[in-house]
Amino acid sequence: MERNYSDAVAALNTLQSNFSIVDAIRKSGKGMNQQAIPEMIEWCRRLGYEPSDFNRLKPIHIAGTKGKGSTSAFISSILSQYLPSPNEPEAKLRKIGLYTSPHLRFVRERIQINNVPLSEEVFAKYFFQTWDRLEAAARAGGEPTDTTAKPVYFRFLTLMAFHTYISEGVDTAVIECGIGGEHDSTNILLNPTVTGITSLGIDHVAMLGNTIEEIAWHKSGIMKLSAAAFTAPQPSGAMAVLRQRAEEKDVDLHVVERHPQLDTIKLGLAADFQKTNASLAIAIAAAHLRALGHDETPHDSTTAPLTPKFITGLEQVQWPGRCEIRHEGNITWHIDGGHTLESIELAGIWFADQIQPPPTNSSSSPSSTNPNTSPPPNSPSNRKRKPILIFNQQTRSARPLALALYNTLSTALRTPHPFSHAIFCTNVSFQNAGFRPDSVSLNTNSEDVRQLSVQKELAQVWSGVDERCEVRVVRSVEEAVTGVRGLVGGGEGGDGRDEEGGEAMVLVTGSVHLVGGFLEVLASGENGGGAGNS
């Protein structure tokens, strides 16, 4: 077998569960595999580790429904300000690991060191070390060395990440849970320095339950006696469960309110709701630094003035595809991978804030009585601005997500017609080339994708709530992007410039996989994109 990155990705994709298996699990109602942790411990041993070996990573463990990735990125960015520098060559931190999921364009994004994804060469190196050790263990036990000798996709990547971090001498690892917490593959960590729970909502109901209380029970499973525990503010039912679980585990749980200083800082991640994630990250990073011996870090980090290093970390954080804005000629792309009801609503509020023109105090303005309001996007004063939607959600119930987005935007923008155009596409990146291997997903219904079943349903739903919106269904993300460019005069190979001064304000949302494909299309330049970061 070859040993390059492409071969590693191809081998990794053989560990994905196909749609029929995933669908059967969803429909069974059995919930999370309660043997997941014992099974994961056995995989660790086959790889040559005991869970206690990972204590040397001084892990920070993060669970939640919304904002897990953003909070983890904030934490890593803050801690990176404490790495060695010319002014502090003897810093206590040397290498910071960041393990998150899912990825956008490249699977190696999931495993980062000092906020940089593993290179293709390093990814392939540790991938095949993990692969070979597991096969050797199977061979030694007289077992087959096929895919049954390895765990499924996410478990394999978790093992590989821990192996990578141990091998690379990482001395702090920020670890984001996959699904849940109690039975999540990452929950083999025995002694994290800190645990954190981000905002909770309804998601993954087949495995976690369909009430906020059941979901809170699973998420709180990461709390450990040895670790400080922090949570974002939660709904009352969820908070009651978190407090009960903390008491059972003899853990002191701290609720983190929004840090007052964040209103004066320009966070690297836009949107007001990111201040909740940033506040939680501040508390977690401060507790971790104190555990490492940074005694100057204030204990009242939720209200104390932020140090310059904390401010720099908050301002410099990068997390593509989350509240991200890119400009291309007369097109402004607003990109967010929100995919739950709550995150879709937050993405809608963020988009509404971005596209509304600056308020006016002119007495002739219809909004003069309220300087914080502005004309709806399709009003005469804004008629040359085209608000456009690109949307998909292939594995969850797409209909309620689309309706939540419509209701949020129609309320925020004070119009029943929030978009001039709505384009519904699959997550397939390119019209002819399909997917990059990193983006292949076997857990979607291929027949639904081929028939555009979800997209046609979404188009029908949207036409039913907004008869004036021009609705389109296309097969690929590339065709959706080309369609937007055509609407503002760019056309095939155009640059998005409209001689009449029109401007497209585009929201791309509904799925992390959609956003990943979208970023891949922009990066490819196949249609004369020329997009750049704002």
Side-chain angles (χ1 to χ4, degrees), residues 393-471:
Q393 174 46 248
Q394 203 69 41
T395 59
R396 292 168 173 83
S397 179
R399 179 188 180 97
L401 292 181
L403 289 175
L405 180 62
Y406 171 81
N407 291 331
T408 297
L409 280 169
S410 59
T411 299
L413 297 173
R414 299 179 292 112
T415 173
H417 313 291
F419 294 106
S420 64
H421 298 75
I423 305 175
F424 300 103
C425 63
T426 70
N427 294 334
V428 176
S429 304
F430 297 103
Q431 182 176 2
N432 296 319
F435 293 103
R436 170 188 290 277
D438 298 68
S439 301
V440 169
S441 176
L442 301 182
N443 65 2
T444 57
N445 188 325
S446 58
E447 186 61 19
D448 279 350
V449 174
R450 191 180 70 81
Q451 296 282 353
L452 299 176
S453 303
V454 172
Q455 292 68 40
K456 290 174 182 176
E457 179 189 4
L458 286 168
Q460 184 178 22
V461 168
W462 203 272
S463 296
V465 295
D466 185 358
E467 73 284 354
R468 276 174 39 183
C469 180
E470 182 179 319
V471 176

Side-chain angles (χ1 to χ4, degrees), residues 490-501:
E492 190 71 27
D495 62 1
R497 291 178 174 82
D498 186 342
E499 293 180 357
E500 296 181 357

Side-chain angles (χ1 to χ4, degrees), residues 253-383:
L253 177 64
H254 305 271
V255 180
V256 180
E257 302 293 339
R258 182 172 294 194
H259 196 287
Q261 199 172 338
L262 292 183
D263 289 331
T264 64
I265 296 172
K266 185 177 181 181
L267 297 176
L269 299 180
D272 185 72
F273 69 83
Q274 290 289 2
K275 295 176 183 177
T276 298
N277 298 328
S279 298
L280 183 60
I282 290 167
I284 292 171
H288 181 74
L289 289 168
R290 288 195 298 272
L292 296 185
H294 286 266
D295 297 329
E296 73 281 5
T297 306
H299 283 267
D300 57 342
S301 56
T302 57
T303 56
L306 298 173
T307 67
K309 287 183 177 180
F310 269 68
I311 293 172
T312 299
L314 295 168
E315 291 177 338
Q316 292 185 352
V317 66
Q318 294 184 348
W319 200 235
R322 284 77 168 183
C323 300
E324 182 181 4
I325 297 176
R326 297 191 179 203
H327 297 287
E328 176 190 325
N330 278 21
I331 302 173
T332 302
W333 306 103
H334 301 76
I335 312 159
D336 189 81
H339 52 275
T340 67
L341 283 172
E342 293 88 350
S343 60
I344 281 288
E345 290 170 350
L346 292 172
I349 292 170
W350 167 67
F351 180 66
D353 288 342
Q354 297 299 314
I355 70 171
Q356 295 189 88
T360 174
N361 289 314
S362 169
S363 59
S364 61
S365 167
S367 60
S368 60
T369 57
N370 184 354
N372 294 317
T373 63
S374 55
N378 290 333
S379 68
S381 61
N382 278 333
R383 61 183 177 273

Side-chain angles (χ1 to χ4, degrees), residues 222-234:
I222 68 167
M223 294 180 191
K224 301 292 191 300
L225 177 62
S226 61
F230 296 89
T231 178
Q234 308 289 359

Side-chain angles (χ1 to χ4, degrees), residues 27-180:
K27 292 177 179 177
S28 71
K30 293 181 179 179
M32 292 289 287
N33 176 11
Q34 296 188 11
Q35 295 303 308
I37 300 305
E39 291 170 2
M40 192 66 178
I41 291 172
E42 176 58 27
W43 288 117
C44 284
R45 289 171 177 160
R46 289 179 174 227
L47 190 57
Y49 295 106
E50 291 291 334
S52 58
D53 293 330
F54 305 132
N55 292 346
R56 75 182 79 166
L57 299 177
K58 298 181 177 63
I60 297 170
H61 205 185
I62 305 298
T65 307
K66 301 170 291 182
K68 286 185 301 178
S70 298
T71 300
S72 298
F74 273 122
I75 295 168
S76 184
S77 184
I78 292 169
L79 295 180
S80 69
Q81 308 308 310
Y82 291 82
L83 291 169
S85 66
N87 294 331
E88 294 184 61
E90 301 301 320
K92 292 184 175 69
L93 277 172
R94 294 286 168 173
K95 289 186 178 181
I96 301 166
L98 174 62
Y99 178 61
T100 60
S101 61
H103 59 277
L104 290 175
R105 296 178 59 204
F106 308 103
V107 67
R108 55 192 178 85
E109 296 167 15
R110 297 180 181 227
I111 306 175
Q112 301 190 20
I113 296 178
N114 293 346
N115 299 313
V116 177
L118 298 185
S119 68
E120 291 188 356
E121 294 76 16
V122 172
F123 184 95
K125 171 186 173 182
Y126 290 116
F127 176 90
F128 284 111
Q129 284 184 8
T130 305
W131 187 273
D132 292 345
R133 286 193 190 185
L134 294 174
E135 285 197 348
R139 193 176 298 111
E143 301 171 2
T145 58
D146 57 11
T147 55
T148 61
K150 299 96 182 173
V152 293
Y153 190 97
F154 181 78
R155 288 189 186 184
F156 186 96
L157 284 172
T158 301
L159 289 173
M160 178 188 158
F162 290 174
H163 171 57
T164 301
Y165 292 154
I166 291 287
S167 302
E168 288 288 318
V170 163
D171 48 20
T172 283
V174 184
I175 306 296
E176 177 195 350
C177 282
I179 295 176

